[in-house]
Amino acid sequence: MLSMLPGFIGSIWGERLCKKTSPLRILIFAEILGLLALAFPVYGLLHHNVPALLVVQCIEALLSGISYPALTLLFKRGLRHDELPAATAMETIIFASQVLLGTGLGVLLFGLIDTLHLLAIDALSFVASAILIMMSAAAFRTAETQPTEAMPGRQEPLWRAISPSQKRTIMLLPALAAVGAPAMALLPALAQEIRPEDSAGLALPLLFARSLGQLCGPLMLDARKLQLYAVNNRILLACLGIFIGCYFLLPLSAGYSYIGLILIFSAHMASNIVFALGTFGILGNFPQTQVAKASAMSWRAQVLAATVFTGITSAMAHYFGAFNALYCMLPFSLGIVGVLLWLNRTKAPNNVNLRLRE
């Protein structure tokens, strides 16, 4: 909960800030706040204060919510329409740096060097990020002159003003969160039930396999067909079905760690195909005047879906066990997502089908 709910408030702030200031300034502001937030883990380590460590989760979620609308607006401004598929690759690169330089390198260094030295390296990464963003400002000087808000006058709520296909686009990432968040939250508990004697030794490789699968998923897509894939319910449900199937087979990997790693890798590779299509849909289906608001709305719905379904799943796991909760919740959430996709089904534009035939 601490790593998700503050992102709801953060996305509201991020959306409002995008109307008043440059998205580059918002990202620099987020990096500076992230640097200052390192005071909490330092205090927590020096005084053995667990709440101070948990505050870091809240701040990370808050800053992620603030940054997401700004980053989406930056992609929309910096890329032409035919270059928007590159935004999914950019998201993959961003996630890769987080996984390989953050989680991966952090796990390797933890225990080898002093924790305060590790936090000092983390502080340097925030400083380097802020400097790189400032250096990139020159490339966006022309784009910064473009308006971020819609035409003046009284504006009705975005949800009422947009088309059914745009509503479907906003719902895609929350749908993924409803299916994926319970399984991701249960992964350490599943590792404990599979190998009670060495759950930590299995959980960390499973978490890393999950991250690598998330990284590789978007690489499986043909950039020329992203718009067609995004409106194809069969592809979306097939990916979510693969995700669930791999988690259902996880108990069979007991005693065979490599099978479990392959299953988790495959599951999250499939789920991040849906994530890439949702990201592309928001960039491709909304004009610059609406993209920050649409991305913030999708982020908030994603946070709420993840919170509700994870909360229910955790309560079930507490009373009935992790695997029983998994077997009950995942088909239930997939059924809800299937109904929503069917009710909001749409077709690819004719120009997309024409280009594919050519």
Side-chain angles (χ1 to χ4, degrees):
M1 297 296 182
L2 291 174
S3 65
M4 290 187 293
L5 283 179
F8 186 95
I9 300 173
S11 68
I12 297 175
W13 291 354
E15 177 190 333
R16 292 178 179 175
L17 286 171
C18 282
K19 297 178 181 179
K20 299 177 181 179
T21 187
S22 157
L24 284 172
R25 291 179 182 175
I26 296 172
L27 294 177
I28 294 171
F29 173 70
E31 295 295 335
I32 294 172
L33 287 182
L35 175 63
L36 297 177
L38 290 179
F40 288 99
V42 171
Y43 178 83
L45 289 169
L46 294 178
H47 297 86
H48 303 283
N49 189 297
V50 174
L53 298 176
L54 295 178
V55 168
V56 182
Q57 292 283 327
C58 295
I59 295 176
E60 180 186 2
L62 183 70
L63 295 180
S64 297
I66 292 174
S67 302
Y68 186 70
L71 192 61
T72 306
L73 179 58
L74 207 59
F75 283 153
K76 188 71 176 180
R77 284 180 174 177
L79 298 171
R80 299 190 306 270
H81 184 76
D82 59 330
E83 294 175 331
L84 288 181
T88 61
M90 292 292 292
E91 288 278 4
T92 302
I93 293 171
I94 292 168
F95 191 81
S97 9
Q98 177 184 340
V99 171
L100 300 178
L101 299 179
T103 306
L105 189 60
V107 169
L108 290 176
L109 293 179
F110 189 78
L112 297 179
I113 66 174
D114 183 76
T115 309
L116 290 177
H117 293 163
L118 197 60
L119 287 173
I121 296 173
D122 199 5
L124 289 176
S125 74
F126 281 101
V127 174
S129 297
I131 292 173
L132 287 172
I133 295 171
M134 284 187 259
M135 290 172 60
S136 69
F140 287 91
R141 282 175 185 168
T142 303
E144 289 299 328
T145 61
Q146 300 177 12
T148 57
E149 294 191 78
M151 296 298 293
R154 184 178 179 182
Q155 300 294 323
E156 60 180 325
L158 180 65
W159 189 257
R160 295 182 181 179
I162 59 180
S163 66
S165 62
Q166 290 174 317
K167 291 180 179 179
R168 172 192 167 90
T169 299
I170 290 178
M171 292 168 51
L172 200 53
L173 292 180
L176 173 62
V179 175
M184 292 172 66
L186 285 174
L187 191 55
L190 297 174
Q192 187 175 16
E193 291 198 11
I194 292 173
R195 191 186 294 176
E197 69 282 359
D198 185 25
S199 57
L202 178 60
L204 287 178
L206 286 177
L207 290 171
F208 196 68
R210 179 188 77 182
S211 299
L212 287 179
Q214 291 170 325
L215 169 62
C216 295
L219 304 179
M220 305 297 293
L221 294 169
D222 184 343
R224 297 169 299 174
K225 301 180 181 179
L226 289 182
Q227 195 166 358
L228 181 64
Y229 295 152
V231 298
N232 192 317
N233 283 349
R234 292 182 180 179
I235 291 177
L236 296 173
L237 291 175
C239 289
L240 294 177
I242 291 171
F243 175 85
I244 290 178
C246 289
Y247 266 90
F248 274 24
L249 294 174
L250 197 56
L252 302 179
S253 68
Y256 303 94
S257 299
Y258 64 93
I259 296 178
L261 295 176
I262 293 173
L263 288 172
I264 293 301
F265 174 86
S266 303
H268 288 277
M269 185 172 66
S271 71
N272 254 44
I273 289 176
V274 180
F275 178 82
L277 295 175
T279 301
F280 170 78
I282 290 177
L283 288 170
N285 291 327
F286 287 92
Q288 183 181 309
T289 54
Q290 294 179 336
V291 71
K293 188 174 185 66
S295 62
M297 184 181 294
S298 179
W299 182 276
R300 290 194 290 272
Q302 187 178 355
V303 168
L304 288 178
T307 302
V308 170
F309 282 87
T310 300
I312 296 173
T313 304
S314 62
M316 294 181 65
H318 178 71
Y319 291 104
F320 306 109
F323 278 110
N324 288 331
L326 188 77
Y327 292 150
C328 291
M329 280 303 299
L330 262 61
F332 174 70
S333 58
L334 181 62
I336 292 177
V337 170
V339 171
L340 287 176
L341 289 178
W342 183 81
L343 291 175
N344 293 275
R345 60 193 182 279
T346 184
K347 296 180 179 180
N350 292 330
N351 60 336
V352 175
N353 293 320
L354 179 61
R355 287 199 302 268
L356 291 177
R357 287 196 296 272
E358 291 174 350

